Amino acid sequence: MSRKRRTPVAASFAMGVLLLASCGSITEVAPPPPPVVDPAAGGNSGEVDLVSGTAKSNEADPNSGDLTNPMGGPAPEGDRAEAAMQWVELRKSKAGALDPVVVNGAKLTLYRFDDDEAKPSKATCAGDCATTWPPVLIKPGGRVFVAGVKHSNVSTVTRDDGTLQLTIAGWPVYRFIDDTKAGDTNGHGVGGTWFAIRPDGKKATPDPEADNGGIEVDPLAPPATDATFFSDANFGDNGFAEGLSGSGCLNLGTTAGEASSMTANGSVRMWRRPDCQGDVVVANGDVPDLAQLGVDDSIQSIRLG
């Protein structure tokens, strides 16, 4: 049985085009086994609850998570620190001249530190360093909203003080105390060791082609069981969103003919007509801009499961 959720959103990836063909021409492939976290990476994605979409599209508590500290600055303390660890958003975006980078739910740029280690994960920034570069912490079982970052790239590492810090491709992630608004990248290049982090864990650059335009082809991706469509590109929070979950053919409601981006936990088959009729486009995971598939503002129905 399927269910549909509609979420209006106010101001606030791995993606692949697999094929564009007639419905009858699709060849089904058996889904692979679920990804296994490599113990050598030193992380454990099972420590947190990974959720496709943004915090707002999933109706996260606006008084907790990344929004307890929307203007950046020092890490929150006391009760606010506890609230801040309830959820974190990891979203592919652009910040200043850097494209792509990962930002949090307050749209603040996230960073990696060259003195840390990725395999196995190890966080070395503590004390005064962690005051300037607050680690992105999450409580055990906390929710991590993922849009444009591969779920398999998200994990955690246990810091020396026992807290859990999020990692991307093994690299522990941080904020910078002098970033105070969306688009700030004041920490990029500091000391020759701090850099804004990309969705694949590499250092951000001004060249969006450095990550192959965000296109990744995986013909064995398992079918998605949930997907969220956004009326804005890049999972934007200025429009509205609609989430669908379950299995079978589902017609879009709020975003029918208006969707410009999508997050999903696997491959999704999409049609420009209702009831899954006509030509089909198959996308693998998150799609920051449906125009890249030639289906911006045209999707009417999808198949999940």
Side-chain angles (χ1 to χ4, degrees):
M1 185 172 183
S2 64
R3 61 182 173 83
K4 185 182 293 186
R5 54 184 166 82
R6 173 187 175 187
T7 307
V9 290
S12 59
F13 87 70
M15 180 273 296
V17 185
L18 299 185
L19 59 98
L20 177 57
S22 68
C23 182
S25 66
I26 293 179
T27 300
E28 299 290 347
V29 293
V36 177
V37 176
D38 181 2
N44 183 3
S45 62
E47 298 260 7
V48 295
D49 181 16
L50 298 179
V51 182
S52 295
T54 62
K56 289 187 177 180
S57 72
N58 283 283
E59 300 181 313
D61 181 357
N63 297 312
S64 64
D66 295 335
L67 299 181
T68 61
N69 201 32
M71 302 303 293
E77 299 180 350
D79 291 343
R80 290 181 64 245
E82 180 67 21
M85 291 189 288
Q86 300 294 315
W87 61 262
V88 172
E89 180 178 301
L90 300 177
R91 177 160 64 95
K92 177 189 175 186
S93 186
K94 178 180 179 181
L98 303 178
D99 184 12
V101 296
V102 179
V103 301
N104 71 3
K107 301 181 182 178
L108 296 172
T109 303
L110 301 181
Y111 297 87
R112 49 169 280 180
F113 182 34
D114 279 358
D115 288 357
D116 286 347
E117 297 178 14
K119 292 186 178 180
S121 298
K122 183 175 178 57
T124 62
C125 177
D128 290 342
C129 175
T131 299
T132 302
W133 302 91
V136 178
L137 303 178
I138 189 76
K139 72 172 187 176
R143 304 178 80 191
V144 182
F145 302 108
V146 183
V149 181
K150 289 177 63 176
H151 284 218
S152 58
N153 277 348
V154 181
S155 190
T156 61
V157 63
T158 302
R159 294 175 55 82
D160 290 343
D161 62 4
T163 56
L164 282 181
Q165 182 173 358
L166 284 176
T167 64
I168 297 177
W171 289 101
V173 291
Y174 305 80
R175 291 190 300 101
F176 182 46
I177 194 172
D178 288 342
D179 283 351
T180 59
K181 65 181 184 301
D184 280 354
T185 58
N186 298 311
H188 188 66
V190 169
T193 56
W194 289 94
F195 298 92
I197 192 167
R198 291 185 353 180
D200 59 5
K202 296 179 181 179
K203 301 172 184 178
T205 71
D207 182 7
E209 298 302 319
D211 74 334
N212 197 30
I215 297 175
E216 176 177 317
V217 175
D218 181 3
L220 295 181
T225 56
D226 66 68
T228 300
F229 287 83
F230 299 81
S231 60
D232 291 337
N234 297 311
F235 329 110
D237 288 332
N238 293 323
F240 51 90
E242 176 184 14
L244 301 98
S245 63
S247 62
C249 180
L250 302 172
N251 289 323
L252 273 64
T254 307
T255 56
E258 297 189 48
S260 292
S261 58
M262 177 198 74
T263 65
N265 62 353
S267 62
V268 177
R269 286 179 281 181
M270 304 181 291
W271 284 264
R272 298 180 183 86
R273 299 180 187 175
D275 303 319
C276 302
Q277 299 295 314
D279 293 341
V280 61
V281 173
V282 181
N284 178 16
D286 296 352
V287 184
D289 189 353
L290 286 168
Q292 292 180 297
L293 309 188
V295 292
D296 185 33
D297 292 337
S298 64
I299 296 300
Q300 297 284 343
S301 59
I302 66 171
R303 183 174 295 277
L304 298 176

